Amino acid sequence: MQHLISDITPDACRSALSSFWNDACSIESTKNGLVLTLPILLADGWQVTVHVERQSDGYIKLCDKGQMNSWLFSHGVDIEKDWFKESAAPLIRQFGIHEDECGFSRMLRLPADACEIQLFGAFLSTMSHHVMGIRKMGIPACKIAFTNTLNVARKTKLPFTQNKVIQTPYRAITIDITCDGKNRSAALQTFDQSTRVNESFEIWSSRMQEISQTLNGKYSTCMVYDEDNCRIPSSMIKVAESRGNLVVPCQKEDEIFDFMRSAAV
């Protein structure tokens, strides 16, 4: 939906921005409080999610349920390393955030200033952009394609299985991630290796074709690779696509999300 500024005046601009915020912000009730999807973006284009939970003695807790740590790991950042903790510490102090094994949080006394929710969302967005500097430093990735795909599967809210064994007429094939629908499932194989990836990619494109063609259309197949780490020739990608596979970089999470939702039915 468009939110047009009808005139270059403060009132017209405020009205358009307020309309945008109301449409872009989602607020839902949970068992312990609320979950808010804010019109603030992470570095990969997904909106920031903030959980607001009731506490005793008139307090509420803003938290991310560990989602930011998972996001950072999926983008190649080892959050346990001392160098990362030292680089993230100034951001955590600046926003007044508490960090523990459950993720990032902040306690507020009621009545609380709504601005604090906006600031907590801004912290999560800022932390996600922190990963861009980390990647430029050349830090090794940690199974980015697999972890990104796993995180997208969680976001779809579909039932999914890791390392599922699929039996074809010729062999048993173990697939990294499958999203299961009642009539059809999505089978996704990921690629993170930088050595002998072309050989592996060729073998797996044939295996995925075997799954899709010999099991009466029960599975739609997708091959997901880390384009920063896997140098796969465009000619090889075209061959894999001609065999009935979707081939997509793991960085294009929206395409993977759409594939899972449309394939698992």
Side-chain angles (χ1 to χ4, degrees):
M1 179 183 295
Q2 289 183 311
H3 302 273
L4 302 178
I5 299 175
S6 58
D7 193 10
I8 306 301
T9 65
D11 288 344
C13 187
R14 186 184 303 278
S15 176
L17 288 172
S18 297
S19 176
F20 161 75
W21 200 95
N22 286 333
D23 285 345
C25 179
S26 169
I27 303 177
E28 299 180 5
S29 297
T30 65
K31 181 179 179 181
N32 296 319
L34 302 171
V35 58
L36 291 78
T37 302
L38 302 177
I40 305 173
L41 301 182
L42 298 174
D44 60 358
W46 289 87
Q47 286 182 253
V48 167
T49 298
V50 175
H51 296 262
V52 183
E53 298 184 339
R54 299 182 185 89
Q55 305 292 302
S56 60
D57 300 327
Y59 282 85
I60 60 172
K61 179 181 181 182
L62 309 182
C63 57
D64 74 328
K65 298 286 190 179
Q67 292 175 347
M68 179 49 57
N69 284 341
S70 176
W71 190 98
L72 290 168
F73 178 82
S74 74
H75 287 75
V77 177
D78 187 345
I79 61 177
E80 297 301 324
K81 295 294 185 181
D82 289 340
W83 57 261
F84 175 74
K85 292 181 179 180
E86 291 174 1
S87 67
L91 284 176
I92 295 173
R93 289 196 301 269
Q94 177 184 348
F95 284 90
I97 302 299
H98 175 71
E99 182 184 13
D100 57 25
E101 65 277 3
C102 297
F104 297 105
S105 64
R106 187 168 187 188
M107 297 290 291
L108 301 173
R109 182 189 290 275
L110 294 175
D113 189 341
C115 178
E116 296 292 346
I117 296 177
Q118 182 79 5
L119 288 174
F120 189 78
F123 163 76
L124 296 175
S125 176
T126 302
M127 182 62 77
S128 76
H129 283 83
H130 187 66
V131 76
M132 299 306 179
I134 299 297
R135 294 295 299 274
K136 289 179 180 178
M137 292 169 59
I139 304 303
C142 5
K143 296 194 73 175
I144 292 177
F146 175 79
T147 309
N148 275 22
T149 305
L150 185 62
N151 284 343
V152 174
R154 292 183 176 128
K155 291 176 182 177
T156 65
K157 308 299 184 182
L158 293 167
F160 67 89
T161 306
Q162 298 181 50
N163 300 318
K164 182 176 181 177
V165 178
I166 298 176
Q167 183 68 53
T168 76
Y170 309 105
R171 75 197 88 235
I173 302 174
T174 302
I175 297 295
D176 281 344
I177 298 170
T178 59
C179 290
D180 302 311
K182 293 182 179 179
N183 302 309
R184 189 159 54 98
S185 299
L188 301 99
Q189 187 65 25
T190 64
F191 300 85
D192 283 292
Q193 70 269 37
S194 58
T195 59
R196 302 188 68 179
V197 64
N198 291 350
E199 178 181 342
S200 176
F201 201 80
E202 167 67 22
I203 291 172
W204 271 101
S205 68
S206 296
R207 289 176 178 172
M208 301 296 268
Q209 181 184 36
E210 182 178 314
I211 289 172
S212 61
Q213 292 187 354
T214 64
L215 298 178
N216 300 318
K218 185 177 179 181
Y219 291 93
S220 293
T221 57
C222 179
M223 300 171 68
V224 184
Y225 65 97
D226 177 11
E227 63 180 350
D228 293 336
N229 199 41
C230 302
R231 304 301 180 185
I232 303 172
S234 58
S235 58
M236 186 165 291
I237 291 177
K238 290 180 180 178
V239 169
E241 290 173 337
S242 71
R243 292 173 174 171
N245 303 305
L246 171 66
V247 182
V248 61
C250 69
Q251 289 78 3
K252 295 186 177 181
E253 296 184 8
D254 54 343
E255 292 188 25
I256 301 171
F257 181 91
D258 291 342
F259 168 79
M260 291 178 177
R261 295 288 304 196
S262 62
V265 295

